[in-house]
């Protein structure tokens, strides 16, 4: 039976999927993506450590690199070209509000609202609800606790899990850096305030908690503690910039895929929202509030040949498409 080859038209894609992974800030090591080896992954189950943010819209790439001609002779004429600067920007709108999408759409550290202790006036370092020690045998989706500690939670609770703060400076939060401290603080709960190791509790048993999704940081490290979270907050201002590796995927109607891989992205705009009317009215009507993300791409050195780059664009053709 003969195979039918065809000349593929320009890809037709409905929406774009977004995936982010944390950069190791201490070692300045981004997360690399190999489309030749990993390009066929299920869009609902990305390879570790990529975290799916679901569908995004208004995805825009804006190159900012500049080139200049090298002139020689009399009269001067172009001899060649050099790259004068290397820069790129990316923007998009997130279709869901989560811990990670809020953090990506703000320009500084993103914080967890720790549940206040009973009778406390404010959830500061002294009055946040007690942290519970995580026991051995815990995994990214199952947290082992003493029975009395587990009984304080219920299905639907949000929890943050990380180590106590003990006065260290520099990047804090493991394995995802949530803040950078120049001076020591007195708040034992500070790391859990900025950690990205948060999850929703799906079930409670006498031996611990079952989480609805894996912790971004994987299995808890020894000495980790857990606290209840009521929500999230970010602030206008601050000097800390979160940094992430990003992967955007367009899947065409024939099964082809276009990948945009940015090894290093930092937010370059303060928190913004987009209002999308749902009933055709521009004012005083139902509207969906979306998070807007705007990012600056930072360069990396390609280990293949030592070139400095900010983005990789890859294309995996559809089966039997002429190339």
């Amino acid at each position: 039976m003969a195979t039918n080859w065809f000349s593929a038209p320009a890809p037709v894609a409905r929406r774009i999927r977004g995936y982010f992974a944390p950069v190791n800030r201490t070692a300045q090591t981004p997360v690399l993506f190999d489309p030749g080896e990993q390009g066929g992954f299920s869009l609902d189950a990305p390879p570790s450590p990529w975290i799916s943010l679901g569908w995004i819209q208004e995805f825009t790439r804006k190159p900012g690199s500049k080139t200049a001609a090298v002139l020689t002779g009399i009269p001067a004429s172009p001899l060649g070209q050099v790259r004068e600067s290397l820069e790129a920007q990316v923007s998009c709108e997130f279709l869901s509000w989560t811990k990670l999408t809020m953090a990506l759409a703000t320009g500084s550290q993103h914080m967890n609202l720790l549940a206040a202790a009973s009778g406390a006036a404010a959830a500061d370092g002294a009055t946040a609800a007690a942290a519970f020690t995580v026991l051995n045998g815990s995994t990214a989706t199952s947290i082992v606790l003493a029975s009395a500690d587990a009984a304080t939670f219920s299905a639907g609770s949000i929890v943050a899990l990380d180590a106590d703060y003990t006065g260290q400076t520099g990047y804090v939060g493991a394995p995802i850096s949530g803040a950078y401290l120049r001076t020591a603080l007195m708040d034992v709960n500070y790391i859990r305030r900025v950690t990205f190791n948060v999850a929703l509790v799906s079930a409670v048993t006498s031996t611990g908690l079952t989480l609805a999704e894996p912790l971004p940081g994987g299995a808890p490290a020894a000495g980790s503690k857990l606290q209840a979270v009521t929500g999230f907050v970010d602030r206008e201002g601050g000097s800390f910039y979160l940094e992430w590796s990003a992967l955007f995927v367009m899947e065409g109607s024939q099964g082809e895929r276009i990948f945009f891989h940015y090894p290093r992205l930092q937010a370059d705009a303060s928190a913004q929202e987009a209002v999308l009317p749902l009933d055709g009215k521009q004012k005083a009507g139902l509207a969906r509030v979306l998070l807007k993300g705007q990012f600056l791409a930072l360069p990396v050195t390609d280990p293949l040949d030592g070139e400095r780059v900010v983005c990789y664009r890859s294309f995996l053709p559809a089966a039997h498409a002429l190339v």
Side-chain angles (χ1 to χ4, degrees), residues 292-304:
K292 295 186 67 173
Q294 184 172 317
F295 309 96
L296 176 67
L298 304 181
V300 296
T301 300
D302 193 314
L304 180 66

Side-chain angles (χ1 to χ4, degrees), residues 104-300:
L104 291 168
T106 188
S108 189
Q109 64 254 55
H110 188 260
M111 308 181 81
N112 306 314
L113 294 172
L114 300 181
S118 178
D124 59 19
T127 58
F132 301 110
T133 300
V134 175
L135 303 181
N136 294 335
S138 296
T139 68
T141 57
S142 179
I143 307 302
V144 181
L145 297 172
S147 58
D149 296 342
T152 64
F153 296 92
S154 60
S157 301
I158 302 172
V159 294
L161 191 152
D162 216 313
D164 280 344
Y165 175 70
T166 57
Q168 63 268 43
T169 57
Y171 292 109
V172 294
I176 304 172
S177 299
Y180 185 91
L181 295 177
R182 290 176 172 81
T183 58
L185 305 177
M186 298 297 292
D187 182 3
V188 69
N189 299 314
Y190 184 79
I191 295 179
R192 287 183 289 276
R193 293 189 190 281
V194 299
T195 187
F196 280 88
N197 235 17
V198 298
L200 179 72
V201 176
S202 62
V204 179
T205 67
S206 60
T207 59
L209 312 177
T210 301
L211 304 180
E213 53 196 338
L215 290 165
S224 295
K225 292 185 179 180
L226 179 143
Q227 277 176 289
V229 172
T230 60
F232 311 105
V233 61
D234 52 48
R235 305 176 296 190
E236 188 86 17
S239 58
F240 176 69
Y241 288 87
L242 291 166
E243 187 173 313
W244 296 80
S245 298
L247 178 66
F248 302 97
V249 184
M250 294 180 178
E251 186 168 52
S253 58
Q254 302 291 335
E256 66 272 48
R257 286 184 176 183
I258 302 172
F259 297 95
F260 303 98
H261 174 220
Y262 290 87
R264 297 178 63 201
L265 283 184
Q266 287 188 356
D268 70 344
S270 297
Q272 300 179 63
E273 302 80 39
V275 179
L276 178 66
L278 297 179
D279 54 7
K281 298 179 181 179
Q282 297 297 320
K283 297 181 180 180
L286 289 175
R288 188 186 304 277
V289 182
L290 305 177
L291 289 164
K292 295 186 67 173
Q294 184 172 317
F295 309 96
L296 176 67
L298 304 181
V300 296

Side-chain angles (χ1 to χ4, degrees), residues 53 94-106 291-292:
L53 298 182
F94 299 109
L95 295 178
S96 60
W97 283 61
T98 66
K99 162 75 176 178
L100 185 51
T101 58
M102 279 190 70
L104 291 168
T106 188
L291 289 164
K292 295 186 67 173

Side-chain angles (χ1 to χ4, degrees), residues 14-20 52-60 90-96 101 104 246-250 260 290-291 293 295:
R14 285 189 174 89
R15 288 182 292 180
I16 301 177
R17 294 290 292 260
Y19 305 88
F20 282 72
S52 174
L53 298 182
W55 301 104
I56 62 174
Q57 67 178 25
E58 300 297 329
F59 174 69
T60 303
V90 183
S91 61
C92 65
E93 293 176 354
F94 299 109
L95 295 178
S96 60
T101 58
L104 291 168
L247 178 66
F248 302 97
V249 184
M250 294 180 178
F260 303 98
L290 305 177
L291 289 164
F295 309 96

